[in-house]
Structures are given as C-alpha cells and as structure tokens.
Amino acid sequence: MILTVTLNTALDLTYRVRSLRPHASHRVSEVAERPGGKGVNVARVLAALGHEVAVTGFAGGGTGREVRERLAGTAGMVDALVPVGGATRRTIAVVDERTGDTTQLNEPGPQVTSAEWAAFQRSYEDLLAAASAVALCGSLPPGVPVGAYAGLIRVARAAGVPVLLDTSGEPLRRGVAARPDVVKPNAEELAELTGSHEPLRAARDARRRGAHAVVASLGVDGLLAHTPEGRWRAAPPTRLHGNPTGAGDSAVAGLLSGLADGLPWPERLARAVALSAATVLAPTAGEFDRTAYEELLGRVAVTGEVTAA
C-alpha cells in the first residue's frame, strides 16, 4: 500500500466559461467537483494505475463530508482521513475556454487544534505499518506546525518507509533537513530553497541540505533528477498544448509508482513525464489520458549518466 498525506485536503470546483474577463459577469457552461489537494490528486492517479492507496490528512464540515463521500466511490483508494472541527477548504479553478488558461482560487483551510494534530500523528504512525512508501504533499492548514513535514519524515524513516516530499517555502526547507528520500519541487520552489536559478546546481545544493534525491519539475522541459545513482533529464517528445492543472501531481504519482514497482531511475522518470504529459492532454483538468500515457511512455527522452555520488 502507498500512503499519501494531504494535510490541507480540498473540494476542487472547476468552472468553465467562454471567456474570463475582469469586472464582468460570467455564465458558467460546466461545473465539476472532486476531492482534491495534492496528495489526493496523487492517490487518484496511483489508483488508476492499479496501486492500492490510503489517503490521509484532515476532513471536516460539509465540504469534508463531500470529499469523503466521493473518495468512497473511487476504486483502489482507502479513506484514512482524520476528522476536524473546521470545514475542509474549497479550491476554485476557472477555465477560460477561449484561451485554455486556468485561474485558481485557493482557500486557506480549517484551523487545526493541537488535539487534532496529535490525533493525526497517532493515525499516521499506525498507517505506516502497512505502507510501502509515503508521499507528503501540499500546503499546511492553519494551526499545523511549520515543521510538520520534517517530523513526519523522521517518523517514516524510523519505520523504514521511503518518503517523498512535495511542498514549498519554509515547510520544504525544514523538510529537506529531515533527509527525505525524494523531494519534488518545481524550478521556482527549488530556487527559493537554494538561492540558485540554475536547476542542476540547485538540485545538487538541495541534496547537500539533506535530500537523498531531488527531482525538479521544469515545466514544458520535463524533469531533472539528481540522485545518488546518477543525474538525468527526462522530457516529453513534443511541446504539449493543454491544461497543466495536476500535471505535477501526476509526475509525483509516476515517481511513487516506479518506486513501488522497483524501476530504475530512468524508467521512473519516463513514467512520471508520460503521466504528466498525459494530464496536460486530458479533456478534464487533473485527470490523465490513458491512451496518451501509453503512447507517450515509450517516446519520453531520458538522457544522463550513472554516477557514484
């Protein structure tokens, strides 16, 4: 079982409008709702690939009930969310059908009490006993300590469970120092962490700060990996046009899936890039096009070298 942690779960709402204009009233042509938050998105892709996944984090209020009801209807996903008194946040994506651009509005999340945080930590330790890998993903809701991910990484390492961290800002900086097996920042997050805008140099510096391996998202240019086994770049075969919402989460799912299947790094990266690209091409934001994924998987260009450091 793969465990995904989404401390700031969400109910994702997607509105489609013909053309998004400031200071104007809009008629919405289509509305979609689904459970969200980065780790939930990762879990959805993993389940679609055939992995058993447990989803944990917090859920509360009417939106939390809606999230749990929708999770219950998803094959391969186990609801291990911890209840809180506050209401789970909503995220609102407005898709401009004319340009394809997406405008995102993210609520902050519920206030988590110290007792609720302690209950989550107990549940997390129990879930690790059956986990083959764990992903710690996304932002922290109010009330959760900024060093939360660092503590969760140490608990996973003590249990012998490999852990991937996908967050930003101070939670990323503190988390890296706890020595996660993989960190997956984008180029901007990596530059903020290290002060370097050259991705390879920044990835090397992030490893010096504690990360065992670094996989950086480079947008349309794919992924850069700096690991103890080698350094590689992986890129889609062509420039893609579509909606990038969820593409980074699909890349995380590909990395975890490859880890669970025991794939070497080049094959893990190819899977991650193919899933990310297939998400951009999917007609529904945040989903992936399986036909496109299978077609792209053999065409991802992976270049690099095996090293001893």
Side-chain angles (χ1 to χ4, degrees):
M1 177 196 75
I2 298 174
L3 176 63
T4 69
V5 175
T6 313
L7 294 177
N8 214 1
T9 53
L11 181 65
D12 288 345
L13 307 176
T14 301
Y15 298 146
R16 299 186 71 88
V17 299
R18 181 171 296 177
S19 177
L20 182 62
R21 305 180 309 279
H23 316 299
S25 178
H26 296 78
R27 185 176 297 277
V28 176
S29 61
E30 181 182 336
V31 180
E33 296 183 359
R34 65 173 192 172
K38 292 180 73 64
V40 175
N41 298 338
V42 170
R44 184 183 299 108
V45 175
L46 286 168
L49 292 172
H51 296 280
E52 181 184 356
V53 193
V55 176
T56 191
F58 296 111
T63 48
R65 285 193 298 274
E66 180 73 13
V67 165
R68 303 191 83 156
E69 288 171 5
R70 290 177 177 269
L71 284 177
T74 306
M77 291 173 64
V78 175
D79 174 4
L81 294 168
V82 174
V84 291
T88 295
R89 68 187 177 131
R90 295 162 299 180
T91 69
I92 300 172
V94 183
V95 180
D96 185 320
E97 295 176 336
R98 180 177 57 85
T99 65
D101 292 338
T102 300
T103 300
Q104 191 83 16
L105 303 173
N106 296 328
E107 295 180 356
Q111 181 75 35
V112 176
T113 68
S114 58
E116 290 165 344
W117 174 235
F120 170 81
Q121 290 175 288
R122 291 192 296 271
S123 175
Y124 174 73
E125 290 191 37
D126 292 340
L127 289 165
L128 283 174
S132 59
V134 58
L136 308 175
C137 302
S139 62
L140 302 178
V144 172
V146 71
Y149 284 138
L152 298 180
I153 289 166
R154 294 187 186 100
V155 172
R157 286 176 55 83
V161 179
V163 56
L164 181 150
L165 176 64
D166 183 13
T167 189
S168 60
E170 186 64 12
L172 174 61
R173 189 184 71 79
R174 296 197 186 195
V176 164
R179 305 187 64 81
D181 294 272
V182 184
V183 293
K184 208 289 298 173
N186 60 34
E188 181 179 343
E189 291 161 349
L190 187 59
E192 182 183 1
L193 172 67
T194 65
S196 174
H197 291 272
E198 200 291 303
L200 183 59
R201 181 179 303 138
R204 186 183 303 117
D205 183 56
R207 287 195 60 210
R208 291 195 188 103
R209 291 168 184 254
H212 190 67
V214 178
V215 180
S217 295
L218 304 179
V220 296
D221 294 323
L223 298 175
L224 165 70
H226 196 300
T227 81
E229 292 80 19
R231 297 186 291 270
W232 294 275
R233 287 182 182 262
T238 59
R239 289 275 174 146
L240 304 171
H241 300 282
N243 189 341
T245 302
D249 300 331
S250 291
V252 170
L255 295 172
L256 285 168
S257 175
L259 171 64
D261 291 344
L263 298 181
W265 271 107
E267 293 180 43
R268 288 189 218 177
L269 295 169
R271 182 175 291 185
V273 168
L275 280 170
S276 180
T279 300
V280 173
L281 296 173
T284 302
E287 304 292 339
F288 76 95
D289 184 316
R290 183 174 291 276
T291 300
Y293 163 65
E294 293 172 353
E295 191 274 331
L296 285 164
L297 185 57
R299 299 174 56 213
V300 173
V302 182
T303 58
E305 59 180 349
V306 175
T307 63

